[in-house]
Amino acid sequence: MNPKRKQRLLLILAMIAAVFVAVALAMYSLSQSINLFKTPTQIANGEAEPGQTIRAGGLVVEGSVQRDSVGLGVRFNVTDGQSEVTIFYDGILPDLFREGQGIVALGSVDQSGLFTASQVLAKHDENYMPPEVMQALEEANARHSEASPEVHQSPASPEVAD
């Protein structure tokens, strides 16, 4: 084989290897920075690995907000209509945070199932709900209505007892 041809082949192979390594490093980096969204039902079912950074969202349960007497810590429950997850956040909550409103929290679940948030985001006006939260609530309501169908009577045709 010609020495120049051999050099050219080695150069092409080195370039292919370098591209492969660059793509592999980029894929690894991207996989480490993805924060998956999990519903309270998925978290309660153990679908979130302890220590994995995820986003969790739902509606803040009425009467569940408990503030620490010392510091900025707050503990509250979030629901998707089926399950509830307790979230602990040590920081200043958004001004629009309140019970009954949709939130998304970034953080991780520990071994006991407590979600420790590093960031809490609240909706920005009364008509907005994060898309993931809205979809999770709609799916939970659909599953709930399939599991327990109700019989509805039409007000125009009441039953008449004989």
Side-chain angles (χ1 to χ4, degrees):
M1 186 177 244
N2 188 348
K4 283 192 173 207
R5 192 174 227 190
K6 195 174 192 179
Q7 274 184 330
R8 194 178 305 148
L9 180 63
L10 287 175
L11 181 63
I12 290 172
L13 288 175
M15 289 174 58
I16 290 172
V19 168
F20 178 75
V21 168
V23 168
L25 288 173
M27 295 297 284
Y28 177 75
S29 176
L30 288 174
S31 71
Q32 296 299 312
S33 65
I34 292 176
N35 298 321
L36 301 174
F37 180 84
K38 300 285 186 185
T39 64
T41 299
Q42 291 172 319
I43 295 170
N45 291 340
E47 294 180 30
E49 295 179 24
Q52 177 187 17
T53 300
I54 60 171
R55 290 182 301 134
L59 298 176
V60 178
V61 176
E62 297 282 340
S64 69
V65 178
Q66 303 169 350
R67 299 184 188 276
D68 287 347
S69 58
V70 178
L72 298 173
V74 64
R75 196 178 285 264
F76 56 92
N77 292 350
V78 173
T79 185
D80 62 356
Q82 283 192 308
S83 299
E84 289 186 11
V85 171
T86 301
I87 296 178
F88 175 76
Y89 177 64
D90 190 16
I92 299 173
L93 289 169
D95 290 337
L96 297 173
F97 177 90
R98 59 185 58 89
E99 295 176 349
Q101 300 294 326
I103 64 109
V104 173
L106 177 68
S108 61
V109 179
D110 64 12
Q111 296 292 347
S112 67
L114 176 67
F115 186 92
T116 303
S118 59
Q119 183 179 27
V120 174
L121 305 171
K123 65 182 197 145
H124 71 283
D125 71 14
E126 62 191 49
N127 298 321
Y128 175 78
M129 183 172 294
E132 297 96 343
V133 174
M134 181 65 81
Q135 181 181 2
L137 290 172
E138 288 172 356
E139 289 173 3
N141 288 338
R143 283 191 301 261
H144 185 269
S145 64
E146 289 174 3
S148 60
E150 296 179 15
V151 177
H152 296 283
Q153 291 183 359
S154 171
S157 60
E159 289 185 336
V160 177
D162 290 321

